[in-house]
Amino acid sequence: AKKELDSRNRANILSSLKQSQQSGDPTQLSLGILQSYSAMSDEERQASGWSPSFRDNVLQNYKSTNNILSMLQRS
C-alpha cells in the first residue's frame, strides 16, 4: 500500500510540474501539490510524511511565487 501511495504521489507531483511547465505558470506546481494534499485522507498524509507544516510550506511557496509574478507583471 505504501508503494502504491508513493507512486501515486510521485505521479501527481510530476503531472503538476508538467502542467506548470506547459502553462508557463510556476504556481501550478504548488496548486497541484495542495490539491493532492487535500484529496488525501489523514492516514495517507501520515504515511506519506505530508504534515500540516509541509502543507503550510507549499502554501507559502504558492503565495511567494504569486507575489513575484505580480511584481514582474507590473514592471
Side-chain angles (χ1 to χ4, degrees), residues 26-43:
T27 62
Q28 291 299 311
L29 176 57
S30 296
L31 284 175
I33 294 171
L34 289 169
Q35 289 170 343
S36 294
Y37 182 94
S38 295
M40 288 179 173
S41 68
D42 289 337
E43 293 82 15

Side-chain angles (χ1 to χ4, degrees), residues 4 13 18 20 25 32 41 49 53 59 66 75:
E4 181 181 329
I13 291 170
K18 185 176 181 180
S20 177
D25 181 359
S41 68
S53 68
L59 182 58
N66 205 30
S75 299

Side-chain angles (χ1 to χ4, degrees), residues 1-16 32 36-37 39-41 43-45 47-48 50:
K2 173 86 167 100
K3 272 187 171 182
E4 181 181 329
L5 182 60
D6 289 345
S7 178
R8 187 175 60 202
N9 289 340
R10 190 170 21 266
N12 287 340
I13 291 170
L14 288 173
S15 174
S16 298
S36 294
Y37 182 94
M40 288 179 173
S41 68
E43 293 82 15
E44 289 172 321
R45 289 183 199 126
S48 297
W50 288 28

